Amino acid sequence: MTRWVYGFDEIDAAKAAVDDDWDRVRGLLGGKGANLADMASLGVPVPPGFTITTEACNAFIAGDGALPDGLWDEVLTAVRDMEEASGKTYGGTDNPLLVAVRSGAKFSMPGMMDTVLNVGLNDEVAAAMIERTGDERFVLDSHRRLVQMFATVVLGMDGDPFEEILREHRGTHGVINDADLPPEALRATVDSFRAHVRARSATPFPEDPYDQLRLATEAVFHSWNSRRAFDYRRAAKIADDLGTAVNVVAMVFGNTGTNSGTGVLMSRNPTNGEPKLEGDYLLNAQGEDVVAGNRETKPIEQLADDLPDAAEELGAIARRLEEHYREMQDMEFTVEDGTLWLLQTRTGKRTAQAAVRIAVDMADEGLITKAEAVGRVTPDQVDFFLHPQFSPESLADLTAVAQGLNVSPGAAVGVVAFDPDLAERWGRDGRDVVLVRHETKPDDVHGMLAATGILTSSGGRTSHAALVARQFGKPAVTGASAIDIDMASRTLTVGNDTLHEGEWISIDGTSGNIYLGKVETVAPDLDNEWLTTVLGWADEFRTLGVRANSDEPEDAARARSYGAEGIGLCRTEHMFFDPERLPIVQRMITAPNLAERKEALDEMREFQRADFAGLFEAMDGLPVILRLLDPPLHEFLPSWEELHRHQTDLQLRLVRAADLETVERLVRELSEVHDMLGRVEALRETNPMLGLRGVRLGITMPEITRMQARAVFEAAVEVAERGGDPKPEIMVPLVSEATELARQRQLIDEVAEAVFEEAGRRVEYQVGTMIEVPRAALTSEDIAEHADFLSFGTNDLTQTTFAISRDDAEQAFLLQYLADKILTENPFASIDAKGVGRLMGIALDGARSTKPAIETGVCGEHGGDPASIALCHDMGLTYVSCSAYRIPVARLAAAQAALAAGAS
Ligand code: PEP
Ligand code: MG
């Protein structure tokens, strides 16, 4: 028989049910339930209670909303146990027990599912409680909260009319806060609430405490499939079939007076990671008051003045729980008449900055190992350090129009949208949107995810907006009270300025500043000391090298400062696109004879030599792979279509020309265009990607290879003469037959010898090739004969393996393939392990059979993709190569791959 219910004092039984596997305990009891029971076993004060398992939720959903057999009997037994533990009775009039009914899935989904407090109250129970406590106001306030929450959460009613009724009663009694309403007003409020429920809901408010408990439990189960929970799961990549547990917890009251209170506490600062308690609380309040953001909370430091004993105990518990879980904790607590109770602890959500600092600090404190620290930072978090920030220059003469709380760092620039549906729609249209709200609610999540940034006029650091933004790395500013949002006119007013929906705003989640208009952003540098440390540790674990795809000395120097261990790919054609250089390249291509071509090539050699020298200097002592010219030559010439259009235009103008001078000029121009058109036509191919490119250029025009090789060796000699340590490696692209490489290598070696002889100095160098087409992969044992190294050009290898044009795919059917799940991943972003990966494996086996220790790498765009990096690690490649800004991520991903494979 399946067991559906576990008491908080039964963690051992729950563990035994799932082979003592903690992950499965969390799966069964949900994160909150598992931790409550775990805390109880550690001696942390937790109110009595029990957990209904996630399996019960799944059975309930599968059974179309019927509670599974046996569940209710187990609940009744568990309620008896709670009564015994607390000395109170549920639904009784002697010493009444009230309970909270809370959701709790395996992975925390803050605010996404339902909770009902004060369950078990009705008029009789209330009367008994008033008699016992003598606190009529407190009991009636609890009662009105129950009816209000039950109506909105369980019965699904609109919340506004209840707020309206409360407002009326406040008005009648001339008070501002609910807490100041006298008992008779609260009693009247409860009656008005119930009357409203009777009038508007098919189900009346249940007076029987057991009906309340059952309906609240079912509502929590149902909330697993609410739209907001569904949206959240999709974004957080949480599976839909996990289900939620239900925790039934004896109520403890933070609203019994000023010796009581409730709050949330993080064991470290979730924004910057500082090892210091961080949190908010309210005296004389109940849980939802703190997160709702409508009462001003106090910072946790003040608790020591208000409730010193509880503050001290809370600090000790935070430390104890951090030591136990070896993770930063996010706790909820309540103090009832001076007694502290922990209602929840979970792993705290944090910003990327905080994640990195906490991982490093915890390793330094000996709480976790360095390997664990490296494992706790995600590639996305490292990536966040590369997020745009506002450029100091653009801020220099700008003043912030307002400031709010800097709850999630980074700069966001977008057009204002006041509602989440609009934000989602505009986001889908590719617009940058800043979602601006009074405060966000769980129903807003789809709009928050579509926005580049989030701005709220109320709400604190632990508000819904702040939590969600941090988790998804969205820059956010909350609590910007100077901002006045008018939903009727859909405008935002701040001081004398008014902004309409659709106008630009810029927010800085790092400082909390808000600017009108579009502020310029720049990528930040990576100088963060904790990031540097954790990446340094990553380097200790990884065995895969990390190199840069870089064509320019300044970029190469940046890549080196980010940790690049050389250049894995310099696409030399990128050096030709400079507007000053292009005419020379065009002269080279269109030269009518060899002599003229050589003249142009000599000119090109001059600037290539300087380029290469710059790269050798930036990467002094490290390998620099320079790839010979790769693209089809017509790419350097004007487009055929454009020339054709130009020619037609000139012809028309010639027909209409009125004077001789114009005729002569047009004839001259026409002849030039005609000439160029002829040359472009001569080079034009139907499938240029499969045409005269890569090594085929060097074979048909060996003088290009000679020129490039000479530039490489002359630069190397020059740098060596200046005392540098250049390590040139020449790479031949798009080889599909070993003889191609053998011929090119011969040319390169001849040029090297000639240059060294002229210079009277030798420089060590290597010659290798790329594996970019299936035939190269399949014949790698022959290719390796002539290669010192191999590098997988996974862009072309993907293109040629799938026969999908890399230039067109993402504008055409590939997106539909992904949407229709014909392909689960974009193969141009993440290496297709099954097909392309298999070819790589064959190529490696072949090459290693010829040269066991041959150097191998990946230099396609996949070199910065964590999943592809893991594949490269597993295949024993020497390095991956990627753009400078992805190098930190690649270092981390390579270390995580090594750790996953058992490195320590
Ligand atoms: C490749 O094909 O993967 C490669 C690195 O070369 P390119 O992208 O320049 O064709
Ligand atoms: Mg290529």
Side-chain angles (χ1 to χ4, degrees), residues 549 569 571 573-574 627 630 689 693 731 734 770 772 792-797 806 859-862:
N549 287 0
L569 173 65
R571 292 177 164 106
E573 60 273 13
H574 287 184
R627 181 179 71 183
D630 185 19
M689 269 297 192
R693 58 172 286 222
M731 181 154 79
L734 214 77
M770 297 180 79
E772 298 184 276
F792 290 99
T794 45
N795 302 332
D796 273 311
L797 192 57
R806 58 192 262 196
C859 64
E861 294 318 301
H862 307 85

Side-chain angles (χ1 to χ4, degrees), residues 378-432:
T378 65
D380 281 352
Q381 284 166 338
V382 172
D383 208 31
F384 187 80
F385 284 83
L386 306 160
H387 269 209
Q389 308 285 344
F390 291 132
S391 74
E393 305 84 69
S394 60
L395 289 183
D397 34 60
L398 263 186
T399 344
V401 288
Q403 198 183 30
L405 297 172
N406 54 339
V407 294
S408 185
V413 181
V415 293
V416 171
F418 291 117
D419 75 67
D421 293 338
L422 186 65
E424 186 181 48
R425 204 164 61 242
W426 282 354
R428 223 183 297 124
D429 293 344
R431 297 175 75 175
D432 290 335

